[in-house]
Amino acid sequence: MTSKQQAEKIVASFEIIAHPKIDIDRQLAKTCALKAVDLIIESNPHDNTGQHFNSSTLHYWQWVKDEIELL
């Protein structure tokens, strides 16, 4: 899954989490999603790339945060 797809998925999950019939504001969903990604990063803050930047989970989640902010 690309970082953009992950960002869209996380934000969408917060848009429907309160109640299926009550829409929450998109900005609130983005704020919740950003906090969730921060918690993921904090739980494993180490860069595990070795010599391969593209394989880093830390960088992946940072890219997800960037994509959430662009939504």
Side-chain angles (χ1 to χ4, degrees):
M1 179 176 297
T2 68
S3 56
K4 183 175 182 173
Q5 292 168 324
Q6 185 69 270
E8 291 169 348
K9 180 179 176 182
I10 293 171
V11 171
S13 71
F14 281 105
E15 287 180 314
I16 61 170
I17 201 167
H19 190 280
K21 295 182 181 179
I22 300 172
D23 292 330
I24 65 170
D25 181 74
R26 177 84 165 176
Q27 189 59 43
L28 177 58
K30 288 173 59 174
T31 300
C32 293
L34 288 167
K35 181 61 179 170
V37 172
D38 282 340
L39 292 170
I40 291 167
I41 291 171
E42 288 172 16
S43 70
N44 185 15
H46 304 289
D47 185 356
N48 60 354
T49 59
Q51 299 296 324
H52 304 289
F53 182 78
N54 290 332
S55 66
S56 170
T57 55
L58 173 63
H59 290 115
Y60 173 76
W61 287 109
Q62 288 172 332
W63 291 331
V64 171
K65 281 184 66 173
D66 293 343
E67 292 293 343
I68 290 170
E69 291 170 352
L70 293 174
L71 293 176

